[in-house]
Amino acid sequence: VKVSVAAKGTATVGDSITLGIDAAADVTTSATVSGTFPMYGKALTIAGISVGELFVAAKTSPANATILSGSTEQEIASWDFTASSSEGVYVKKIVVTHTGSASTDDLSNIKLKYAGEQFGSTVASLTSQNTATFDLSGAPFELLSGATKQIYAYADIASGISTSRTAIFEISAVTDVVSYGANSGGSIEAAASDTAAFTKQTGQTMTIGQGTFTVNIDSAYNPAAQNYVKGTSDRLFSAFKFSAGS
């Protein structure tokens, strides 16, 4: 039996935890249960090591927007990562999940940036579970004690998308962020705040749209009605303006 010891909770340092099976009736099986009950494992004591805290919160920037099919390096979500004042934090893994209506083929080359600089490797494509995992164990993302850093996610958008689809990225679960104390070396479980447990942190909605192409008469160059002499060449008959919109 394995358990996780929460960084936040009501347990007191020095408390002992003992797990076991109290009676044969506590085991559900089609076979006959034999053994000497009750049976318990060894008492395990909660140690007094003090670790820091990491708070993760989605930002409203970038705001809801339309991004064009065929565009690259589009900013799609951002989160604040904040280390508590007790110690710095090393972030060793971040998993982002896509929850929008766009398919896994619509988004590619997902990457993370801080202050305009990429960290971690580019994830070429989403998994079948719509996730992108950034393994930072080789070069952890560092936060000094009390510091906040805003992390941005970017992606390329497939070309040829002719229907409206959405790209929405979030950090879904507490297990999607793996971090350790810079001084203590202890595992740190991400939280929403000093008093609140982690809940999913969802970015804004990016709608994948199509660009526009407009054709108009170019009044600045289009000639007025007039007569042209028969046999002359290189005469301007019409002028058109072609405009590509966002």
Side-chain angles (χ1 to χ4, degrees):
V1 178
K2 293 184 178 180
V3 301
S4 295
V5 181
K8 291 181 177 293
T10 58
T12 303
V13 171
D15 283 355
S16 293
I17 300 172
T18 304
L19 297 179
I21 301 173
D22 192 56
D26 294 332
V27 180
T28 301
T29 178
S30 58
T32 301
V33 179
S34 61
T36 302
F37 297 94
M39 60 176 68
Y40 293 95
K42 300 291 186 181
L44 302 176
T45 303
I46 297 176
I49 184 173
S50 177
V51 297
E53 295 176 293
L54 174 66
F55 311 127
V56 177
K59 300 287 288 181
T60 56
S61 169
N64 296 337
T66 297
I67 51 181
L68 295 182
S69 171
S71 57
T72 59
E73 287 236 353
Q74 294 298 295
E75 192 176 276
I76 50 178
S78 69
W79 301 269
D80 271 347
F81 278 58
T82 302
S84 66
S85 59
S86 56
E87 69 172 330
V89 174
Y90 291 122
V91 180
K92 296 190 175 183
K93 186 177 79 170
I94 300 173
V95 180
V96 298
T97 300
H98 171 242
T99 61
S101 62
S103 72
T104 56
D105 294 331
D106 293 336
L107 304 166
S108 61
N109 296 325
I110 302 97
K111 61 188 67 174
L112 298 178
K113 292 186 179 183
Y114 165 67
E117 296 293 328
Q118 182 179 351
F119 64 93
S121 299
T122 300
V123 176
S125 60
L126 294 168
T127 68
S128 58
Q129 289 77 40
N130 277 305
T131 61
T133 299
F134 298 90
D135 182 356
L136 309 174
S137 56
F141 184 72
E142 182 181 6
L143 296 111
L144 299 178
S145 60
T148 296
K149 290 184 176 181
Q150 192 167 1
I151 293 175
Y152 288 87
Y154 291 77
D156 294 349
I157 313 303
S159 58
I161 298 175
S162 58
T163 57
S164 181
R165 306 172 192 178
T166 57
I168 306 170
F169 277 77
E170 69 181 27
I171 298 176
S172 300
V174 66
T175 53
D176 289 340
V177 178
V178 176
S179 59
Y180 294 85
N183 296 325
S184 67
S187 176
I188 295 177
E189 186 176 276
S193 70
D194 189 48
T195 57
F198 183 88
T199 56
K200 66 180 181 180
Q201 298 297 317
T202 306
Q204 302 301 300
T205 299
M206 302 293 125
T207 302
I208 301 174
Q210 300 73 43
T212 58
F213 187 72
T214 306
V215 181
N216 290 302
I217 293 291
D218 191 337
S219 57
Y221 297 97
N222 196 57
Q226 58 185 289
N227 296 321
Y228 284 145
V229 177
K230 185 177 180 180
T232 57
S233 60
D234 200 22
R235 310 298 293 184
L236 178 64
F237 268 73
S238 296
F240 301 94
K241 181 186 297 183
F242 296 83
S243 303
S246 59

